[in-house]
Amino acid sequence: MNQNDEWYTPDYWLELAREVLGTIELDPASCLIANQRVKADVFFTDKDDGLSKEWKGKVWCNPPYSAVLVKKFTKKFFEEYTKGNIEEGIMLTNSGTDTLWNQNICKGIQVYTIGRISFLQPDGTEKATGSRGQCFTYVGKNPRKFIEVFTRDNKCWCPNIGLIDNVY
């Protein structure tokens, strides 16, 4: 991994994810420091190679942001959901709707941040905002709950929210 891969998620967003998922059972792209905040039952580090493992249950994933790795993680996320391994999942990525890796997950429900997330460094201090806004992608049987939780504080918005009942 490189320096651009370490973007720790602030507690606010993790609390929303836990509200939707209940328990985070798996974080496939984590480390000991990040999991102190995520509190996943199981997490994979770069040494564990989460891409080579099966992802099961309720999954939270803030994948590495380098182009090669984010493409692999987004592909794996949707494949594991399609196989029935992921019961529910939320993935945090940049809002790169023009990217090939976003094509891997755009069939999920996506909400976009209003502004940019100030990510954290390992010591918990703010690192910086990313180069663009972020996107949370949800897969599972509770898309309405996901949208309600992530948009209620007006920090995220959901495109085509009026179509949700016709699709899901």
Side-chain angles (χ1 to χ4, degrees), residues 79-97:
E79 284 175 352
E80 292 290 326
Y81 176 68
T82 303
K83 288 180 191 174
N85 291 335
I86 294 177
E87 178 184 339
E88 284 185 286
I90 299 172
M91 179 171 269
L92 169 58
T93 60
N94 284 330
S95 58
T97 58

Side-chain angles (χ1 to χ4, degrees), residues 69-84:
L69 288 174
V70 74
K71 186 175 181 182
K72 290 178 181 180
F73 273 88
T74 55
K75 183 177 184 210
K76 176 83 169 172
F77 181 74
F78 210 77
E79 284 175 352
E80 292 290 326
Y81 176 68
T82 303
K83 288 180 191 174

Side-chain angles (χ1 to χ4, degrees), residues 7 9 14 19 23 30-31 39 45 47 49 52 54-55 62 69 74 76 90 93 99 112 117 130 148 156 166:
W7 295 85
T9 310
L14 293 168
E19 187 175 339
T23 300
S30 195
C31 67
K39 301 174 183 160
T45 68
K47 291 179 182 154
D49 185 13
S52 69
E54 193 172 67
W55 298 5
N62 177 359
L69 288 174
T74 55
K76 176 83 169 172
I90 299 172
T93 60
T99 62
Y112 299 89
I117 293 176
E148 288 171 1
C156 287
N166 296 329

Side-chain angles (χ1 to χ4, degrees), residues 153-168:
D153 291 338
N154 294 320
K155 293 186 179 192
C156 287
W157 65 280
C158 182
N160 300 322
I161 196 166
L163 300 176
I164 193 77
D165 289 326
N166 296 329
V167 177
Y168 294 92

Side-chain angles (χ1 to χ4, degrees), residues 78 101-110 137 168:
F78 210 77
W101 55 260
N102 188 61
Q103 299 308 305
N104 292 328
I105 56 175
C106 67
K107 291 179 185 167
I109 298 294
Q110 295 185 319
T137 302
Y168 294 92

Side-chain angles (χ1 to χ4, degrees), residues 107-156:
K107 291 179 185 167
I109 298 294
Q110 295 185 319
V111 298
Y112 299 89
T113 59
I114 297 170
R116 298 176 183 170
I117 293 176
S118 293
F119 288 91
L120 303 177
Q121 298 184 84
D123 67 2
T125 60
E126 287 188 4
K127 178 177 184 173
T129 58
S131 60
R132 55 173 100 176
Q134 284 69 47
C135 174
F136 294 91
T137 302
Y138 172 84
V139 294
K141 295 187 181 353
N142 296 304
R144 186 163 290 289
K145 180 176 184 180
F146 167 71
I147 292 168
E148 288 171 1
V149 168
F150 273 79
T151 62
R152 75 169 166 234
D153 291 338
N154 294 320
K155 293 186 179 192
C156 287

